[in-house]
Amino acid sequence: MENFGNLMDGFGIVFSFYHFGLMAAGVLLGILVGVLPGLGAPNGVSLLIPLTFTMDPISAIILLTSMYWGALFGGSTTSILFNIPGEPSSVATTFDGYPMAQQGKATQALTLAFMSAGIGALVGVTVITVLSGWVTQFALKFSSPEYFAVYLLTFCSFIGMGSSSPFKSVVSMMLGFAFAAVGMDGMAGNMRLTFGITELIKGISFLVAVIGLFGLGELLQTMEEGLRFDGIHARIKIRDVWEAILSLPKHWMTLLRSALVGCWMGITPGGPTAASFMSYGLAKRFARKKDGFGKGEPAGVVAPETADHSAGTCAILPMLALGVPGSATAAVMMGGLMIWGLTPGPMLFIERPDFVWSTIASMYMGNVMAVILVLTTVPMFAAILRIPFSIIGPMIVVVCFIGAYQISGARLDLWLALVFGIAGYLLKKLDYPIAPMVLAMVLGDKTEDAFRQSMIFSKGSLGIFWTNSTLVATIMTLAMLLLFWPLIGRLVGRLRQQRTPN
Amino acid sequence: MFKAKLITTLLASALYATAAAAAWVPEKPVEFVVASGAGGGTDIFARTIQSIILKYKLMNAPIVVLNKGGGAGSEGFVYGSASLDDAYKLTFGTNNEYLLPLVAKMGYTADMLVPVTALALDEFLIWVNANSPYTDAKSFIEAAKKGDGLKMGGSQSKDTDQTLASMISEATGAKFTYIPFKSGGEAAVQLAGAHIDANLNNPNENLGQFKAGMVRPLCVFSSQRMAAGPKVSKDMAWSDIPLCKDSGIAIDNYQMPRTVWLPAKVSPEAIAFYTTMLKKVSETPEWKSYIEKTSQSDRFMTGDELRAYTKQDAERATAVFKREKWIVQ
Amino acid sequence: MQNPSGILMTRLTMEIAVALAAAIAGAIVCYGSLEIGTGWGDAGPQSGYFPFYIGLFIVIASCGVLVESVIEQRRYKQIFLTREQGYRILTFFLPMLGFVAVSMVLGLYVGLGLYLFGVMTIQGGYRIGKALAVCACTIVLFYFVFEKWFQVPLLKGPIEALLKIY
């Protein structure tokens, strides 16, 4: 095992008090930016980059990646406590994490989220360690049709999630696609659906929508019910933390499936967001009791968190090996790499193995440290909820709007967040499923771009999605299987019923 | 909102009255508006300048870097030109400042910003996959003339890459199917995976793949060879790459100026201040090493020279856009 | 049917209103895509192809919701909002709206100060002194976290300009 030896060398380099200090500082700063909506990992990382100019690249990447882990964990915290996802990839965590918090199980939800995220990350790094050579080759096989197939697979695994009227699901998802289409059309270089409003040129940020739909919409609902957070007003016991940790083995199947989905989506550059949605969809589909999902089912927290983090860690590999950043944060880090004088690409593994393997080694340690630090701060975060509502209520509102403004410094976004807030309240009350809208907003334009690129490749023939490679055909088949799974399940059931009487 | 603007402008003019007599210096944080997403070429350009200014303390006012890459960078130009006399918004871009408004309604016009300095010229090259049969530009062009032509990938639509592709077709009769990707980096990976036949990336965008011997440069669109240096791939240095005009493609020069912009009505004193500061930046060893690492051409342009350059560049692009019918009214 | 005097809106009314709003949004999307080409060119779909059909789907599905809610009237004859709930929503929503409106003119810092102060004194019943202290601390904290540490400039108004706080 050549990789294993390299990894040990990496551990040797990383193992120093200086680097541990950097890791701790990075993780804590990361938790801070993650918890504050409006600040995300990309902000934090780009802010630290000037500090790293004087560091050696290994220390610098340790600081930046640690901050990234911290921010990911912090983002899950706000998803669970306030229903405000800090990062696109933690949206799926709100589906069951927030209901759990409302039922007074905030501590359990947070602990489950952190532990499964940690496990996901460790599985991810292990995959990177073992498969580093193969993964690079595999990612090169991906072109536009393959990307489209992966996105389609995500949508298919998620369809049928909303159990209410199918019309409402369609309205919700299509509205999401429409919002995603606003702004510049990257394929033709012209403006779409901006109606002459300059501030719409950059598009409708997915985060503004999410802040409104989830954060503000939820607050309105809470107010209407006159709940005033009483539900979350639970005491925090250290015992809850332990109980949650001990309950993890029960979810081994979800953990395993989600980690696999995460690794697969991280390596095939589908990304952590797609991974977390897909894994949530699969968890619900294969669960024995589907009714609990959306109402505080622990597996609904475990699934997206595990997949999110295993995909996030696996995505570092394509970044280093190919120079394709898997996320906004990775893009900033890549910029840093170039400023430090390193070229991301296949040669990085050969020219600077010390850098690559120290980075990978630091990912093991950084994640373990992040889990420990974040678990010790759980009681602190949960205590936020004990501040009287007339103070914390407006505070959350303010933070939501600051978050919306900060994304691109546009005034219009404040109004948009408000409108999305009202929409979120109304849609939720009328049983429109919101998840399809969010998924469509996140993946909508990527899917469209991949589709249209494929069409240019094939000169307009749809056959490309089956004939381009065995890879794309396999993914498409999987997608179709998932899409028609309920139908297939019913058919199989009927066949069995017919057989039994004979 | 209007009132707020009025008061700030009044305040700003009051500041001028006192400061303009002496040399102008910034008295509050200066915003570096980056017309690209984090990690893009323009972002690295701006952040390198920021780091040099900080290191040599070339300016006392703090710097705030803002990434505004939406709408292919137009978000940054709209933001940078929001008030025409705001001397505290330095916008970092390329020639996309004057190319973008030609092809779509962008919410700003090219003349709302003036170029302060250009600090570097980024080169364009024809790259092919290392396993492809084309070893020089001539055989590549011949192949592209046959049948449906070749698949050419690039960054963005109706931007520098697609413009150059169109110019090559016009000059040689080669046929290309242009496939726009989100960034040059994506186009680089697609080429390394042999999903496309060629791309027109800047040196830096393909550097990783070039080093690994996965892609091969055929020629560079410049009037002189690139700076000599050590071998980058197994057998090639940047200076070994032939010129496109010597390989039968009659395009003398095609480069992308890395440019810093200010709103059009900023006082000459402020422009002078930033020009001097950026001149100092361009003379530091850190700047030289940035130029070297990214394989760009070191070229400091300002004042009339720069204005003439942008005018000529815009005219040439306009001719292409007209031919391709990309122009919007 | 519950006591009609407490009802502000029935669910049916709301279903219809939201479905109509969605249908209008869909129509706007269709209209917006018409001008950028909705066809299928030689190089695949044009800019407006997907948005146009997306808009169309929105219109059709909204009509579906509309028909569904009219047919199943009985199921939807529940209360959507009672007077008391409506009142609670407004006491939360109006200050929030005020906050956004004020922030547009005076900047986020002033806006958040006024908003927090108003809610604490009027709805929370805090004493003015205590509310003032909390507001001041919050503003200062936010200022340092956003402007100083993370260098993220927030929307500022004329008051900050007068005080020369940038």
Side-chain angles (χ1 to χ4, degrees), chain A residues 53 140 142-143 186-188 201-202 339 408 411 449 453 457, chain B residues 1 38 51 68 74-75 106 157-158 180 182 190 195 209 212 293:
Chain A
F53 291 153
L140 272 183
F142 259 70
S143 186
M187 296 299 296
I201 285 178
K202 62 175 170 34
I339 293 178
S408 52
R411 284 154 185 266
D449 280 359
Q453 280 159 1
F457 271 118
Chain B
M1 212 150 88
S51 73
K68 291 190 178 291
S74 62
E75 184 193 356
M106 286 297 178
S157 179
K158 298 176 186 168
K182 277 264 176 287
Q190 290 296 312
H195 302 291
Q209 282 74 20
K293 266 187 302 201

PDB file of all heavy atoms in Angstrom, chain A residues 53 140 142-143 186-188 201-202 339 408 411 449 453 457, chain B residues 1 38 51 68 74-75 106 157-158 180 182 190 195 209 212 293:
ATOM      1  N   PHE A  53      -0.728  34.253   3.252  1.00  0.00           N
ATOM      2  CA  PHE A  53       0.329  34.580   2.292  1.00  0.00           C
ATOM      3  C   PHE A  53       1.717  34.333   2.875  1.00  0.00           C
ATOM      4  O   PHE A  53       2.649  33.990   2.160  1.00  0.00           O
ATOM      5  CB  PHE A  53       0.220  36.050   1.850  1.00  0.00           C
ATOM      6  CG  PHE A  53      -0.987  36.314   1.002  1.00  0.00           C
ATOM      7  CD1 PHE A  53      -1.570  37.566   0.969  1.00  0.00           C
ATOM      8  CD2 PHE A  53      -1.540  35.313   0.233  1.00  0.00           C
ATOM      9  CE1 PHE A  53      -2.683  37.812   0.189  1.00  0.00           C
ATOM     10  CE2 PHE A  53      -2.658  35.552  -0.548  1.00  0.00           C
ATOM     11  CZ  PHE A  53      -3.233  36.810  -0.569  1.00  0.00           C
ATOM     12  N   LEU A 140     -12.340  12.003 -14.848  1.00  0.00           N
ATOM     13  CA  LEU A 140     -12.078  12.470 -16.218  1.00  0.00           C
ATOM     14  C   LEU A 140     -13.112  11.951 -17.205  1.00  0.00           C
ATOM     15  O   LEU A 140     -13.299  12.498 -18.272  1.00  0.00           O
ATOM     16  CB  LEU A 140     -10.688  12.020 -16.668  1.00  0.00           C
ATOM     17  CG  LEU A 140      -9.533  12.945 -16.324  1.00  0.00           C
ATOM     18  CD1 LEU A 140      -8.247  12.392 -16.894  1.00  0.00           C
ATOM     19  CD2 LEU A 140      -9.783  14.337 -16.865  1.00  0.00           C
ATOM     20  N   PHE A 142     -16.142  12.061 -16.921  1.00  0.00           N
ATOM     21  CA  PHE A 142     -17.387  12.822 -16.828  1.00  0.00           C
ATOM     22  C   PHE A 142     -17.434  13.971 -17.811  1.00  0.00           C
ATOM     23  O   PHE A 142     -16.605  14.862 -17.797  1.00  0.00           O
ATOM     24  CB  PHE A 142     -17.561  13.353 -15.409  1.00  0.00           C
ATOM     25  CG  PHE A 142     -18.509  12.525 -14.621  1.00  0.00           C
ATOM     26  CD1 PHE A 142     -18.145  11.249 -14.238  1.00  0.00           C
ATOM     27  CD2 PHE A 142     -19.761  12.993 -14.288  1.00  0.00           C
ATOM     28  CE1 PHE A 142     -19.016  10.454 -13.531  1.00  0.00           C
ATOM     29  CE2 PHE A 142     -20.637  12.210 -13.578  1.00  0.00           C
ATOM     30  CZ  PHE A 142     -20.273  10.933 -13.201  1.00  0.00           C
ATOM     31  N   SER A 143     -18.441  13.930 -18.669  1.00  0.00           N
ATOM     32  CA  SER A 143     -18.696  15.071 -19.530  1.00  0.00           C
ATOM     33  C   SER A 143     -20.150  15.482 -19.327  1.00  0.00           C
ATOM     34  O   SER A 143     -20.839  14.949 -18.461  1.00  0.00           O
ATOM     35  CB  SER A 143     -18.406  14.696 -20.977  1.00  0.00           C
ATOM     36  OG  SER A 143     -18.529  15.849 -21.772  1.00  0.00           O
ATOM     37  N   GLY A 186     -26.068  31.218 -19.301  1.00  0.00           N
ATOM     38  CA  GLY A 186     -24.659  30.991 -19.602  1.00  0.00           C
ATOM     39  C   GLY A 186     -24.422  30.348 -20.946  1.00  0.00           C
ATOM     40  O   GLY A 186     -23.350  30.455 -21.517  1.00  0.00           O
ATOM     41  N   MET A 187     -25.436  29.658 -21.479  1.00  0.00           N
ATOM     42  CA  MET A 187     -25.225  28.949 -22.729  1.00  0.00           C
ATOM     43  C   MET A 187     -25.340  29.861 -23.937  1.00  0.00           C
ATOM     44  O   MET A 187     -24.705  29.634 -24.948  1.00  0.00           O
ATOM     45  CB  MET A 187     -26.246  27.813 -22.856  1.00  0.00           C
ATOM     46  CG  MET A 187     -26.085  26.754 -21.799  1.00  0.00           C
ATOM     47  SD  MET A 187     -24.479  25.978 -21.878  1.00  0.00           S
ATOM     48  CE  MET A 187     -24.584  25.209 -23.486  1.00  0.00           C
ATOM     49  N   ALA A 188     -26.183  30.877 -23.862  1.00  0.00           N
ATOM     50  CA  ALA A 188     -26.365  31.754 -25.019  1.00  0.00           C
ATOM     51  C   ALA A 188     -25.878  33.166 -24.716  1.00  0.00           C
ATOM     52  O   ALA A 188     -25.810  34.004 -25.598  1.00  0.00           O
ATOM     53  CB  ALA A 188     -27.830  31.785 -25.440  1.00  0.00           C
ATOM     54  N   ILE A 201     -29.923  40.650 -12.783  1.00  0.00           N
ATOM     55  CA  ILE A 201     -28.953  40.098 -13.730  1.00  0.00           C
ATOM     56  C   ILE A 201     -28.164  38.959 -13.108  1.00  0.00           C
ATOM     57  O   ILE A 201     -27.907  37.938 -13.719  1.00  0.00           O
ATOM     58  CB  ILE A 201     -27.991  41.213 -14.215  1.00  0.00           C
ATOM     59  CG1 ILE A 201     -28.720  42.108 -15.202  1.00  0.00           C
ATOM     60  CG2 ILE A 201     -26.753  40.620 -14.872  1.00  0.00           C
ATOM     61  CD1 ILE A 201     -27.893  43.256 -15.700  1.00  0.00           C
ATOM     62  N   LYS A 202     -27.813  39.114 -11.847  1.00  0.00           N
ATOM     63  CA  LYS A 202     -27.029  38.080 -11.183  1.00  0.00           C
ATOM     64  C   LYS A 202     -27.882  36.875 -10.812  1.00  0.00           C
ATOM     65  O   LYS A 202     -27.380  35.898 -10.297  1.00  0.00           O
ATOM     66  CB  LYS A 202     -26.376  38.652  -9.937  1.00  0.00           C
ATOM     67  CG  LYS A 202     -27.383  39.126  -8.908  1.00  0.00           C
ATOM     68  CD  LYS A 202     -26.725  39.567  -7.643  1.00  0.00           C
ATOM     69  CE  LYS A 202     -27.661  40.262  -6.692  1.00  0.00           C
ATOM     70  NZ  LYS A 202     -29.054  39.797  -6.655  1.00  0.00           N
ATOM     71  N   ILE A 339      -2.099  31.183  -5.390  1.00  0.00           N
ATOM     72  CA  ILE A 339      -1.338  32.306  -4.824  1.00  0.00           C
ATOM     73  C   ILE A 339      -0.123  31.766  -4.064  1.00  0.00           C
ATOM     74  O   ILE A 339       0.944  32.368  -4.069  1.00  0.00           O
ATOM     75  CB  ILE A 339      -2.245  33.170  -3.926  1.00  0.00           C
ATOM     76  CG1 ILE A 339      -3.308  33.849  -4.781  1.00  0.00           C
ATOM     77  CG2 ILE A 339      -1.428  34.225  -3.186  1.00  0.00           C
ATOM     78  CD1 ILE A 339      -4.288  34.687  -4.021  1.00  0.00           C
ATOM     79  N   SER A 408     -25.028  39.268  -1.844  1.00  0.00           N
ATOM     80  CA  SER A 408     -24.415  40.016  -2.940  1.00  0.00           C
ATOM     81  C   SER A 408     -24.575  41.523  -2.765  1.00  0.00           C
ATOM     82  O   SER A 408     -24.418  42.265  -3.711  1.00  0.00           O
ATOM     83  CB  SER A 408     -24.991  39.559  -4.269  1.00  0.00           C
ATOM     84  OG  SER A 408     -26.378  39.600  -4.208  1.00  0.00           O
ATOM     85  N   ARG A 411     -29.966  45.581  -2.477  1.00  0.00           N
ATOM     86  CA  ARG A 411     -31.154  45.954  -1.710  1.00  0.00           C
ATOM     87  C   ARG A 411     -32.355  45.097  -2.076  1.00  0.00           C
ATOM     88  O   ARG A 411     -33.164  44.729  -1.233  1.00  0.00           O
ATOM     89  CB  ARG A 411     -31.527  47.410  -1.999  1.00  0.00           C
ATOM     90  CG  ARG A 411     -30.661  48.414  -1.326  1.00  0.00           C
ATOM     91  CD  ARG A 411     -30.680  49.686  -2.149  1.00  0.00           C
ATOM     92  NE  ARG A 411     -29.749  50.646  -1.595  1.00  0.00           N
ATOM     93  CZ  ARG A 411     -30.102  51.588  -0.734  1.00  0.00           C
ATOM     94  NH1 ARG A 411     -31.344  51.699  -0.348  1.00  0.00           N
ATOM     95  NH2 ARG A 411     -29.218  52.423  -0.249  1.00  0.00           N
ATOM     96  N   ASP A 449     -27.818  23.552 -18.136  1.00  0.00           N
ATOM     97  CA  ASP A 449     -26.544  23.732 -18.835  1.00  0.00           C
ATOM     98  C   ASP A 449     -26.024  22.394 -19.349  1.00  0.00           C
ATOM     99  O   ASP A 449     -25.622  22.271 -20.514  1.00  0.00           O
ATOM    100  CB  ASP A 449     -25.489  24.344 -17.896  1.00  0.00           C
ATOM    101  CG  ASP A 449     -25.670  25.843 -17.769  1.00  0.00           C
ATOM    102  OD1 ASP A 449     -26.583  26.377 -18.427  1.00  0.00           O
ATOM    103  OD2 ASP A 449     -24.922  26.475 -17.002  1.00  0.00           O
ATOM    104  N   GLN A 453     -25.460  21.590 -23.190  1.00  0.00           N
ATOM    105  CA  GLN A 453     -24.126  21.237 -23.677  1.00  0.00           C
ATOM    106  C   GLN A 453     -24.185  19.896 -24.405  1.00  0.00           C
ATOM    107  O   GLN A 453     -23.618  19.727 -25.492  1.00  0.00           O
ATOM    108  CB  GLN A 453     -23.134  21.157 -22.513  1.00  0.00           C
ATOM    109  CG  GLN A 453     -22.626  22.508 -22.063  1.00  0.00           C
ATOM    110  CD  GLN A 453     -22.067  22.480 -20.653  1.00  0.00           C
ATOM    111  OE1 GLN A 453     -22.040  21.446 -20.004  1.00  0.00           O
ATOM    112  NE2 GLN A 453     -21.630  23.620 -20.175  1.00  0.00           N
ATOM    113  N   PHE A 457     -23.173  18.825 -28.199  1.00  0.00           N
ATOM    114  CA  PHE A 457     -22.311  17.678 -28.504  1.00  0.00           C
ATOM    115  C   PHE A 457     -22.962  16.776 -29.540  1.00  0.00           C
ATOM    116  O   PHE A 457     -22.342  16.329 -30.481  1.00  0.00           O
ATOM    117  CB  PHE A 457     -22.063  16.847 -27.234  1.00  0.00           C
ATOM    118  CG  PHE A 457     -20.872  17.277 -26.435  1.00  0.00           C
ATOM    119  CD1 PHE A 457     -21.009  17.736 -25.139  1.00  0.00           C
ATOM    120  CD2 PHE A 457     -19.602  17.204 -26.979  1.00  0.00           C
ATOM    121  CE1 PHE A 457     -19.911  18.128 -24.395  1.00  0.00           C
ATOM    122  CE2 PHE A 457     -18.496  17.598 -26.248  1.00  0.00           C
ATOM    123  CZ  PHE A 457     -18.644  18.062 -24.951  1.00  0.00           C
TER     124      PHE A 457
ATOM    125  N   MET B   1     -34.001  57.126  -0.458  1.00  0.00           N
ATOM    126  CA  MET B   1     -32.840  56.515  -1.074  1.00  0.00           C
ATOM    127  C   MET B   1     -32.069  57.581  -1.846  1.00  0.00           C
ATOM    128  O   MET B   1     -30.861  57.687  -1.780  1.00  0.00           O
ATOM    129  CB  MET B   1     -33.294  55.430  -2.042  1.00  0.00           C
ATOM    130  CG  MET B   1     -32.332  54.297  -2.134  1.00  0.00           C
ATOM    131  SD  MET B   1     -33.213  52.802  -2.502  1.00  0.00           S
ATOM    132  CE  MET B   1     -33.233  52.879  -4.293  1.00  0.00           C
ATOM    133  N   ALA B  38     -15.137  33.802  -6.803  1.00  0.00           N
ATOM    134  CA  ALA B  38     -13.938  33.503  -6.037  1.00  0.00           C
ATOM    135  C   ALA B  38     -13.165  32.397  -6.732  1.00  0.00           C
ATOM    136  O   ALA B  38     -13.749  31.434  -7.214  1.00  0.00           O
ATOM    137  CB  ALA B  38     -14.322  33.081  -4.634  1.00  0.00           C
ATOM    138  N   SER B  51      -2.654  41.650  -1.753  1.00  0.00           N
ATOM    139  CA  SER B  51      -1.606  41.164  -0.854  1.00  0.00           C
ATOM    140  C   SER B  51      -0.340  42.012  -0.982  1.00  0.00           C
ATOM    141  O   SER B  51       0.336  42.289   0.008  1.00  0.00           O
ATOM    142  CB  SER B  51      -1.311  39.691  -1.137  1.00  0.00           C
ATOM    143  OG  SER B  51      -0.605  39.567  -2.350  1.00  0.00           O
ATOM    144  N   LYS B  68     -18.105  39.818  -7.181  1.00  0.00           N
ATOM    145  CA  LYS B  68     -19.411  39.994  -7.829  1.00  0.00           C
ATOM    146  C   LYS B  68     -19.320  39.447  -9.233  1.00  0.00           C
ATOM    147  O   LYS B  68     -19.083  40.166 -10.187  1.00  0.00           O
ATOM    148  CB  LYS B  68     -19.806  41.465  -7.821  1.00  0.00           C
ATOM    149  CG  LYS B  68     -20.123  41.955  -6.406  1.00  0.00           C
ATOM    150  CD  LYS B  68     -20.745  43.319  -6.415  1.00  0.00           C
ATOM    151  CE  LYS B  68     -21.095  43.776  -5.025  1.00  0.00           C
ATOM    152  NZ  LYS B  68     -22.208  43.018  -4.431  1.00  0.00           N
ATOM    153  N   SER B  74     -20.897  40.904 -15.150  1.00  0.00           N
ATOM    154  CA  SER B  74     -21.582  42.188 -15.296  1.00  0.00           C
ATOM    155  C   SER B  74     -22.070  42.708 -13.948  1.00  0.00           C
ATOM    156  O   SER B  74     -22.134  43.922 -13.736  1.00  0.00           O
ATOM    157  CB  SER B  74     -22.747  42.061 -16.268  1.00  0.00           C
ATOM    158  OG  SER B  74     -23.691  41.146 -15.776  1.00  0.00           O
ATOM    159  N   GLU B  75     -22.358  41.800 -13.017  1.00  0.00           N
ATOM    160  CA  GLU B  75     -22.783  42.222 -11.681  1.00  0.00           C
ATOM    161  C   GLU B  75     -21.732  43.158 -11.068  1.00  0.00           C
ATOM    162  O   GLU B  75     -22.071  44.185 -10.478  1.00  0.00           O
ATOM    163  CB  GLU B  75     -22.971  40.995 -10.789  1.00  0.00           C
ATOM    164  CG  GLU B  75     -23.506  41.319  -9.408  1.00  0.00           C
ATOM    165  CD  GLU B  75     -23.380  40.147  -8.431  1.00  0.00           C
ATOM    166  OE1 GLU B  75     -22.950  39.056  -8.854  1.00  0.00           O
ATOM    167  OE2 GLU B  75     -23.697  40.336  -7.251  1.00  0.00           O
ATOM    168  N   MET B 106     -27.062  44.975 -20.146  1.00  0.00           N
ATOM    169  CA  MET B 106     -26.370  44.625 -18.917  1.00  0.00           C
ATOM    170  C   MET B 106     -26.661  45.538 -17.735  1.00  0.00           C
ATOM    171  O   MET B 106     -26.189  45.314 -16.643  1.00  0.00           O
ATOM    172  CB  MET B 106     -24.856  44.649 -19.167  1.00  0.00           C
ATOM    173  CG  MET B 106     -24.381  43.475 -19.970  1.00  0.00           C
ATOM    174  SD  MET B 106     -24.675  41.957 -19.061  1.00  0.00           S
ATOM    175  CE  MET B 106     -24.088  40.757 -20.216  1.00  0.00           C
ATOM    176  N   SER B 157     -20.227  32.093 -22.917  1.00  0.00           N
ATOM    177  CA  SER B 157     -20.778  32.214 -24.255  1.00  0.00           C
ATOM    178  C   SER B 157     -20.566  33.644 -24.743  1.00  0.00           C
ATOM    179  O   SER B 157     -20.693  34.586 -23.965  1.00  0.00           O
ATOM    180  CB  SER B 157     -22.273  31.896 -24.171  1.00  0.00           C
ATOM    181  OG  SER B 157     -22.863  32.008 -25.418  1.00  0.00           O
ATOM    182  N   LYS B 158     -20.281  33.796 -26.029  1.00  0.00           N
ATOM    183  CA  LYS B 158     -20.082  35.118 -26.640  1.00  0.00           C
ATOM    184  C   LYS B 158     -19.053  35.938 -25.874  1.00  0.00           C
ATOM    185  O   LYS B 158     -19.178  37.150 -25.730  1.00  0.00           O
ATOM    186  CB  LYS B 158     -21.402  35.889 -26.722  1.00  0.00           C
ATOM    187  CG  LYS B 158     -22.435  35.197 -27.576  1.00  0.00           C
ATOM    188  CD  LYS B 158     -23.753  35.932 -27.557  1.00  0.00           C
ATOM    189  CE  LYS B 158     -24.811  35.119 -28.302  1.00  0.00           C
ATOM    190  NZ  LYS B 158     -26.145  35.639 -28.085  1.00  0.00           N
ATOM    191  N   PRO B 180     -19.943  26.071 -24.738  1.00  0.00           N
ATOM    192  CA  PRO B 180     -19.584  26.921 -23.600  1.00  0.00           C
ATOM    193  C   PRO B 180     -19.655  26.170 -22.274  1.00  0.00           C
ATOM    194  O   PRO B 180     -20.622  25.468 -22.001  1.00  0.00           O
ATOM    195  CB  PRO B 180     -20.652  28.023 -23.644  1.00  0.00           C
ATOM    196  CG  PRO B 180     -21.812  27.436 -24.356  1.00  0.00           C
ATOM    197  CD  PRO B 180     -21.310  26.322 -25.222  1.00  0.00           C
ATOM    198  N   LYS B 182     -18.740  26.595 -17.837  1.00  0.00           N
ATOM    199  CA  LYS B 182     -18.819  27.647 -16.834  1.00  0.00           C
ATOM    200  C   LYS B 182     -17.486  28.385 -16.672  1.00  0.00           C
ATOM    201  O   LYS B 182     -17.453  29.558 -16.363  1.00  0.00           O
ATOM    202  CB  LYS B 182     -19.227  27.068 -15.481  1.00  0.00           C
ATOM    203  CG  LYS B 182     -20.720  26.892 -15.320  1.00  0.00           C
ATOM    204  CD  LYS B 182     -21.336  28.088 -14.593  1.00  0.00           C
ATOM    205  CE  LYS B 182     -22.846  27.973 -14.501  1.00  0.00           C
ATOM    206  NZ  LYS B 182     -23.532  28.203 -15.790  1.00  0.00           N
ATOM    207  N   GLN B 190     -12.446  18.930 -19.498  1.00  0.00           N
ATOM    208  CA  GLN B 190     -13.145  18.281 -20.617  1.00  0.00           C
ATOM    209  C   GLN B 190     -12.159  17.912 -21.721  1.00  0.00           C
ATOM    210  O   GLN B 190     -12.294  16.878 -22.358  1.00  0.00           O
ATOM    211  CB  GLN B 190     -14.229  19.221 -21.172  1.00  0.00           C
ATOM    212  CG  GLN B 190     -15.406  19.426 -20.234  1.00  0.00           C
ATOM    213  CD  GLN B 190     -16.173  18.153 -19.975  1.00  0.00           C
ATOM    214  OE1 GLN B 190     -16.514  17.420 -20.895  1.00  0.00           O
ATOM    215  NE2 GLN B 190     -16.433  17.851 -18.713  1.00  0.00           N
ATOM    216  N   HIS B 195     -13.231  14.804 -24.206  1.00  0.00           N
ATOM    217  CA  HIS B 195     -14.630  14.976 -24.584  1.00  0.00           C
ATOM    218  C   HIS B 195     -14.782  16.054 -25.650  1.00  0.00           C
ATOM    219  O   HIS B 195     -15.755  16.087 -26.375  1.00  0.00           O
ATOM    220  CB  HIS B 195     -15.464  15.337 -23.364  1.00  0.00           C
ATOM    221  CG  HIS B 195     -15.380  14.321 -22.262  1.00  0.00           C
ATOM    222  ND1 HIS B 195     -15.923  13.070 -22.377  1.00  0.00           N
ATOM    223  CD2 HIS B 195     -14.786  14.369 -21.050  1.00  0.00           C
ATOM    224  CE1 HIS B 195     -15.674  12.381 -21.269  1.00  0.00           C
ATOM    225  NE2 HIS B 195     -14.980  13.145 -20.451  1.00  0.00           N
ATOM    226  N   GLN B 209      -2.821  20.399 -16.453  1.00  0.00           N
ATOM    227  CA  GLN B 209      -2.914  19.320 -17.440  1.00  0.00           C
ATOM    228  C   GLN B 209      -1.687  19.312 -18.357  1.00  0.00           C
ATOM    229  O   GLN B 209      -1.225  18.257 -18.785  1.00  0.00           O
ATOM    230  CB  GLN B 209      -4.195  19.483 -18.267  1.00  0.00           C
ATOM    231  CG  GLN B 209      -5.460  19.030 -17.572  1.00  0.00           C
ATOM    232  CD  GLN B 209      -5.933  19.984 -16.495  1.00  0.00           C
ATOM    233  OE1 GLN B 209      -5.562  21.151 -16.474  1.00  0.00           O
ATOM    234  NE2 GLN B 209      -6.756  19.500 -15.583  1.00  0.00           N
ATOM    235  N   ALA B 212       1.204  17.671 -16.670  1.00  0.00           N
ATOM    236  CA  ALA B 212       1.037  16.229 -16.572  1.00  0.00           C
ATOM    237  C   ALA B 212       1.104  15.553 -17.935  1.00  0.00           C
ATOM    238  O   ALA B 212       0.978  14.343 -18.023  1.00  0.00           O
ATOM    239  CB  ALA B 212      -0.294  15.912 -15.900  1.00  0.00           C
ATOM    240  N   LYS B 293       4.267  32.821 -12.618  1.00  0.00           N
ATOM    241  CA  LYS B 293       3.519  31.618 -12.254  1.00  0.00           C
ATOM    242  C   LYS B 293       2.315  31.428 -13.159  1.00  0.00           C
ATOM    243  O   LYS B 293       1.910  30.318 -13.453  1.00  0.00           O
ATOM    244  CB  LYS B 293       3.046  31.725 -10.796  1.00  0.00           C
ATOM    245  CG  LYS B 293       3.989  31.076  -9.818  1.00  0.00           C
ATOM    246  CD  LYS B 293       3.416  31.056  -8.408  1.00  0.00           C
ATOM    247  CE  LYS B 293       3.072  32.422  -7.883  1.00  0.00           C
ATOM    248  NZ  LYS B 293       2.981  32.510  -6.439  1.00  0.00           N
TER     249      LYS B 293
END
